[in-house]
Amino acid sequence: MDGIVLLKEDHKTVEKLFKQFEKAAEDAHEEKRKIADQVIDELTTHTWIEEKIFYPAAREAAPDTKDHVLESIEEHHVVLWMLSELKNLDAADERFDAKMSVLMENVRHHVEEEEKEWFPDVRKAMGRNRLTALGEQMEAAKKKAPGEPLAVPSAKQ
């Protein structure tokens, strides 16, 4: 699978989870906890493969994307800390829904920037064969991704 397609599929998966969370009843704490845990797993894995594999390859192939990559890493930093806080927060806590809401806003902004502003440049610069090889590498790396948000490199910066 093409690396950009893989990342966009991850984006769709997370967006579906966000929509489930938004549809859940206000007092559906158990359901919201399950959805939040899935979001935490998905985003931790996703940010890890982006930072370890995709971003370095994008910067190499399309040097003009450097600023986009650096901004994305900073956005990851914020998201990963929020994921870490959500992981340890009781779903019945009055801050839980608010924290998820801010997380969703941040992630949706990040996804829009990636998909509209710089993925097209990376696609042009890399070409199909390189993106396919990258996609295979990223898919394999998902199995090695940490389960802890703060273990992703940008969380430490």
Side-chain angles (χ1 to χ4, degrees):
M1 178 187 293
D2 170 319
I4 289 175
V5 171
L6 181 143
L7 294 175
K8 285 182 171 185
E9 288 299 315
D10 284 356
H11 293 164
K12 285 179 192 168
T13 298
V14 170
E15 181 59 32
K16 283 179 191 167
L17 292 168
F18 287 168
K19 283 186 172 25
Q20 287 174 18
F21 189 91
E22 289 170 331
K23 287 178 185 168
E26 192 173 324
D27 62 350
H29 304 302
E30 196 174 310
E31 179 186 359
K32 287 180 174 182
R33 174 80 266 161
K34 266 190 213 165
I35 295 167
D37 288 343
Q38 286 179 273
V39 167
I40 292 164
D41 289 343
E42 290 289 335
L43 288 175
T44 300
T45 298
H46 179 81
T47 57
W48 193 79
I49 65 167
E50 276 189 327
E51 291 181 24
K52 288 290 194 178
I53 300 166
F54 186 75
Y55 288 174
R59 279 183 75 165
E60 183 183 319
D64 290 351
T65 64
K66 175 187 171 199
D67 289 344
H68 288 295
V69 171
L70 292 173
E71 183 179 330
S72 290
I73 289 170
E74 292 306 317
E75 289 170 347
H76 282 187
H77 177 81
V78 172
V79 165
L80 290 162
W81 277 91
M82 291 189 77
L83 294 175
S84 172
E85 292 169 2
L86 273 168
K87 191 173 185 170
N88 299 311
L89 190 61
D90 188 316
D93 187 296
E94 67 178 358
R95 297 169 303 147
F96 191 83
D97 287 2
K99 199 170 284 289
M100 267 302 278
S101 180
V102 172
L103 173 76
M104 290 186 284
E105 288 172 17
N106 276 281
V107 170
R108 285 172 170 153
H109 166 81
H110 176 79
V111 165
E112 186 176 349
E113 281 187 340
E114 279 188 341
E115 291 188 3
K116 291 190 171 131
E117 293 180 21
W118 64 280
F119 278 5
D121 294 338
V122 174
R123 177 171 296 291
K124 223 179 287 175
M126 282 195 190
R128 186 183 310 165
N129 291 341
R130 176 73 177 112
L131 281 169
T132 300
L134 204 59
E136 290 169 8
Q137 188 182 356
M138 288 161 55
E139 187 64 49
K142 281 186 169 193
K143 296 171 185 73
K144 299 175 193 156
E148 173 56 46
L150 299 183
V152 177
S154 66
K156 295 172 181 77
Q157 298 172 349

